[in-house]
Amino acid sequence: MQIALFQPDIPQNTGTILRLCACLGLDAHIIEPAGFPISDRLFRRAGMDYLDHVRLTRHVSWATFEDWRAGQGHRLLLFTTKAATDYRDFHYQRSDILLFGRESAGVTGAVVEAADARLVIPIKAGLRSLNVAMSVAMAAGEALRQIRNPQGLTD
């Protein structure tokens, strides 16, 4: 199971997500351009010393990420407020990549088209969206629960 962030633009969210990946043993991908330098102090502060424990791959563009993914054969699952499939009803696989869009703008049409599935985390009517770091935690939790892959975690 892997987490990919499409052009993230809030360093604190990205640091928090990478900390989550480190703790759960999930590989992480940042699809550039990011809206901040990786050396940003807010990014480093949110990730703390956990950033040294995450396997992070940076892709210079969407096209390079897609070339890499095609070579690996991984499914791409896009989490979006514009989907109809509830993320809890989807059947995850160990090799899936859970993709989350830019906080300020989501993803491009090309990204939507490339996704093998589009999933939504249902929220109360009239509200826009959850924080992306919280969404990643919820999605990863459900996916890992389904595949029952502790990846070295203790109870």
Side-chain angles (χ1 to χ4, degrees), residues 2 21 31 33 57-58 66 71 99 117 144:
Q2 301 177 63
C21 289
I31 302 163
T57 304
R58 293 172 61 192
E66 271 297 90
L99 175 66
L144 291 172

Side-chain angles (χ1 to χ4, degrees), residues 1 11 26 28 33 40 42 45 57-58 64 67 84 86 103 107 120 129-132 145 149 153-154:
M1 188 76 50
L26 303 174
D40 184 284
L42 296 174
R45 183 174 179 203
T57 304
R58 293 172 61 192
T64 59
D67 287 346
D86 186 316
E103 293 93 340
V107 297
V120 66
S129 65
L130 291 165
N131 173 281
V132 69
R145 182 195 68 79
N149 185 0
L153 301 178
T154 58

Side-chain angles (χ1 to χ4, degrees), residues 6-7 30-33 59-71 108 110-111 114:
F6 179 80
Q7 301 179 352
I30 293 179
I31 302 163
E32 304 275 357
H59 303 269
V60 297
S61 68
W62 170 250
T64 59
F65 172 79
E66 271 297 90
D67 287 346
W68 169 83
R69 185 176 75 91
T108 64
V111 174

Side-chain angles (χ1 to χ4, degrees), residues 110-125:
V111 174
V112 173
E113 290 301 315
D116 296 299
R118 292 180 289 282
L119 307 173
V120 66
I121 298 172
I123 61 173
K124 186 177 175 182

Side-chain angles (χ1 to χ4, degrees), residues 78-84 119-121 123 127-130:
L78 174 62
F79 284 76
T80 173
T81 58
K82 298 175 179 83
L119 307 173
V120 66
I121 298 172
I123 61 173
L127 299 178
R128 234 179 15 254
S129 65
L130 291 165

